[in-house]
Amino acid sequence: GQQLNQSPQSMFIQEGEDVSMNCTSSSIFNTWLWYKQDPGEGPVLLIALYKAGELTSNGRLTAQFGITRKDSFLNISASIPSDVGIYFCAGQGYSGAGSYQLTFGKGTKLSVIP
Amino acid sequence: DAMVIQNPRYQVTQFGKPVTLSCSQTLNHNVMYWYQQKSSQAPKLLFHYYDKDFNNEADTPDNFQSRRPNTSFCFLDIRSPGLGDAAMYLCATSRDVGLDEQYFGPGTRLTVT
């Protein structure tokens, strides 16, 4: 099946620093989604990407859909304490027999030191 | 605000005692999904409904069933919960299958005693 490699697995940064995380795959995806999940809550959609090469921003967040359609990155600028959480990438692709599948990365756990 | 609602947020059940989790949505989306998420893991898709069409994932145990009586509501039934079924259960919706964003509810944390 389709698999995503998300890195880093975890990171500790100082408040105010910029953050970068990425996802790569051997499979092609048609859509990339980035989610943030706080403890005990459901994932919240941050950014959705639909076209290869697309660069999209949402406040301090910027994400790009790789030109090969096999990767994506998420950047967070000027991190603040409420950025703490687990960030998941998810790629949506055709899985055969007329069905599509959303494949999740394993998540990046972000800790921000005030 | 349009949203995905899950009740209850926390559910405790006994080993082997059937339990039902519920999800409702005000987004009027065609597709509703149920995911299982265990600690420190990514969500794992159990099944989804496209309108009234039920689509089960190949590795979803028979112990898990679902019902969608109308567009707004979807239920997850666990017929005989085992200790290994303790997890966060997430409901999600999307406008269509394929390329659309999925929106998640806040989840129900299930504990099995």
Side-chain angles (χ1 to χ4, degrees), chain B residues 27-97:
Chain B
L27 296 159
N28 204 32
H29 281 173
N30 290 316
V31 193
M32 296 186 77
Y33 307 81
W34 279 104
Y35 288 84
Q36 180 192 64
Q37 186 179 30
K38 295 193 174 180
S39 183
S40 302
Q41 295 184 17
K44 179 180 182 300
L45 181 64
L46 296 173
F47 26 59
H48 75 272
Y49 272 96
Y50 182 86
D51 196 11
K52 294 182 181 179
D53 291 334
F54 178 71
N55 297 272
N56 199 27
E57 292 301 297
D59 57 354
T60 298
D62 292 340
N63 196 26
F64 292 88
Q65 304 286 319
S66 185
R67 296 170 284 135
R68 190 179 185 185
N70 53 53
T71 301
S72 301
F73 285 87
C74 196
F75 300 98
L76 170 62
D77 300 308
I78 308 176
R79 294 192 297 187
S80 182
L83 298 179
D85 297 328
M88 174 78 93
Y89 289 88
L90 297 164
C91 174
T93 74
S94 66
R95 192 160 36 99
D96 205 338
V97 292

Side-chain angles (χ1 to χ4, degrees), chain A residues 23-61:
Chain A
C23 279
T24 61
S25 175
S26 58
S27 303
I28 289 174
F29 291 102
N30 297 317
T31 305
W32 282 94
L33 306 173
W34 284 93
Y35 290 90
K36 177 178 184 267
Q37 187 172 26
D38 292 330
E41 299 291 333
V44 174
L45 183 65
L46 299 174
I47 291 180
L49 302 160
Y50 298 101
K51 295 181 186 177
E54 179 181 354
L55 183 71
T56 297
S57 293
N58 178 8
R60 293 179 296 105
L61 278 60

Side-chain angles (χ1 to χ4, degrees), chain B residues 5-19:
Chain B
I5 302 161
Q6 289 189 245
N7 286 306
R9 293 294 314 275
Y10 301 91
Q11 176 73 57
V12 180
T13 191
Q14 292 178 333
F15 182 93
K17 185 175 180 181
V19 65

